[in-house]
Amino acid sequence: MREIYYEQIKAAVKQCVLKANLELPEDIEAALRVAWAGEDSERARGLLQIMLDNAEMARQQRMAICQDTGLVAVTISIGQDVHIVGGDINEAVNAGIREGYQEGWFRKSVVTDPLERVNSGDNTPAVIHYELAAGDHFIITVLPKGAGSENMGQLTMLKPAQGWEGVRDFVVKVVKEAGGNACPPVIVGVGIGGNMEMASYLAKKALLRPINRRHNKPRLAQLEQELLKMVNRLGLGPQGLGGATTALAVNIESYPTHIACLPVAVSLGCHATRRSSCEL
Ligand code: SF4
């Protein structure tokens, strides 16, 4: 049995949230540069240039990429041969977020109760997902997600007969309805299959995959490319002010489902989609 300590987890989460909020992932920055080169509109190019300059300044000056430093979704992929020592794993994750958000001077954006709405004061608790599998690995991935894009996500339960056309129409509708609210160019995370909660989880998980990597199933990879073209034909462009780049990528994740179900969820990541990962 491999032992992993509370303090190791706390330190790793702290470093992850600092990195995520200060350094735009390389694949997203590269995609913004490609988008800049492909835009004809001066306004769209200007907006993309501001996004690139902003990312550079955040990295250099150690300031948050965006003022909305989000509610942190944490995914922990853990091997069943791992034993956590020295404290509660959830506490360790939240302690790391608390310290990271304090040190980085990041905005505290979490309320303790969705209706009473009192700020927790330290950006905890996180939303934590565990993926348990064989082995002794321990991989932490953080996704601090701002509300502008998060609020634009949607879930639907299609009829199986609606098939790919139904999925396609729903995804395009969600991006269109989001307009400029999700701070495009967006990354479109699509979860297909499972049940209600699994589809939503898959959509969020899809945002964790680097956007220069297509799905390993050729059929889904092809659908990702098709959907990207359709979404970009909407012409929303950077910040919803027009242009060729409404989305930088469409990432799909799927899972087996019931014979009578076709759940589809869409989670939109903004141009400042922040994620960071580390392995203990
Ligand atoms: S959607 Fe993204 S870029 Fe826009 S305000 Fe929220 S975190 Fe910032």
Side-chain angles (χ1 to χ4, degrees), residues 65-70 144-150 180-184 239 268-274:
I65 299 164
C66 179
Q67 47 76 37
D68 187 350
T69 46
K145 189 88 162 38
S149 56
E150 184 67 4
N181 292 330
C183 292
Q239 292 297 101
L268 296 178
C270 60
H271 69 261
T273 294
R274 293 145 287 177

Side-chain angles (χ1 to χ4, degrees), residues 1-6 8-9 12 76-86 89 134-140 278-280:
M1 185 71 78
R2 181 178 172 217
E3 293 189 337
I4 292 185
Y5 290 85
Y6 175 100
Q8 284 179 278
I9 300 167
I76 297 185
S77 179
I78 182 170
Q80 62 191 25
D81 297 332
V82 169
H83 179 217
I84 308 299
V85 180
I89 185 171
D136 63 359
H137 58 279
F138 193 94
I139 303 166
I140 303 166
C278 79
E279 184 162 5
L280 294 180

